[in-house]
Amino acid sequence: MIVGNGPVADNAAALIDAADLVIRFNGSRNFGVAGQRTDVVALCNTGRPAAAMLADPVWRDSEAVRAASEIWSVRHPQKFAELQAALAVSHPELDDFCDDYTQEFAAFAAARGKGYRVISPAVHEAVDAALAEHQAEAYVVPSSGMVVVAAVLSDTAHANDNVVLAGFSHVGWDGHPFEAEKRLIESYIAAGRLTRLQPVSASSLSQGA
């Protein structure tokens, strides 16, 4: 279960918590409404969002972070170092966008006894290529959600898993190509590689369905 920070369906909490593996993002804003089970927190490890999370005791001691057995960083430092010069020209306002906090998150994970993973730059590049096939609008980088979806789908350990999305509203910062990401996600759903969480009735849940 890959749980974005967008709205979730009624009864989502019970369905999400019943999954074998739950991945959440950054501040896990819908924690509770979207269940509580958390195995992985995937996060943006560059720029202002990364600095804010590391400095925030509320985030560091949040229920989702405490529950997670692994922390994933979605932005590989090598890839973002390569992007920095071009972004300085195209988006000078993003002067701290590529500031890297990978090692700080690694230290945080180690101090909390959690596993730590940095998603390969090859995943980011594969997402860029896939988005190009779906006529992506101009963008800065793919969203964390899209990178994690691609990482899970490309991982042979999850080859036989039923990968379900919840809380993916495909809206947010205009530096992400959300319209193209939605088209890409829908293509994966059509191909049977993903499903979206479907709500069930309260009566079905009470009957153990």
Side-chain angles (χ1 to χ4, degrees), residues 56-105:
D56 184 4
V58 174
W59 178 82
R60 295 167 69 95
D61 294 322
S62 66
E63 291 184 72
V65 170
R66 284 193 282 110
S69 58
E70 294 185 41
I71 300 290
W72 292 3
S73 286
V74 302
R75 296 178 170 180
H76 196 283
Q78 174 189 326
K79 179 65 179 177
F80 277 70
E82 293 169 358
L83 293 173
Q84 190 164 19
L87 286 177
V89 175
S90 64
H91 295 80
E93 72 281 8
L94 300 179
D95 57 334
D96 61 353
F97 185 77
C98 295
D99 290 356
D100 180 49
Y101 295 91
T102 303
Q103 293 307 314
E104 288 84 348
F105 281 113

Side-chain angles (χ1 to χ4, degrees), residues 2-93:
I2 305 176
V3 184
N5 284 317
V8 295
D10 291 342
N11 305 312
L15 295 168
I16 290 167
D17 285 345
D20 295 319
L21 178 73
V22 178
I23 303 171
R24 300 184 190 274
F25 293 89
N26 295 318
S28 306
R29 291 193 304 270
N30 53 16
F31 186 88
V33 174
Q36 298 185 29
R37 176 167 182 163
T38 308
D39 299 284
V40 175
V41 173
L43 49 82
C44 168
N45 52 300
T46 70
R48 285 168 234 171
M53 281 185 283
L54 284 166
D56 184 4
V58 174
W59 178 82
R60 295 167 69 95
D61 294 322
S62 66
E63 291 184 72
V65 170
R66 284 193 282 110
S69 58
E70 294 185 41
I71 300 290
W72 292 3
S73 286
V74 302
R75 296 178 170 180
H76 196 283
Q78 174 189 326
K79 179 65 179 177
F80 277 70
E82 293 169 358
L83 293 173
Q84 190 164 19
L87 286 177
V89 175
S90 64
H91 295 80
E93 72 281 8

Side-chain angles (χ1 to χ4, degrees), residues 1 3 6-17 30 32-35 164-167 196-206 209:
M1 188 74 68
V3 184
V8 295
D10 291 342
N11 305 312
L15 295 168
I16 290 167
D17 285 345
N30 53 16
V33 174
V164 183
L165 304 185
R196 289 191 191 269
L197 184 67
Q198 297 298 319
V200 298
S201 69
S203 60
S204 295
L205 280 175
S206 66

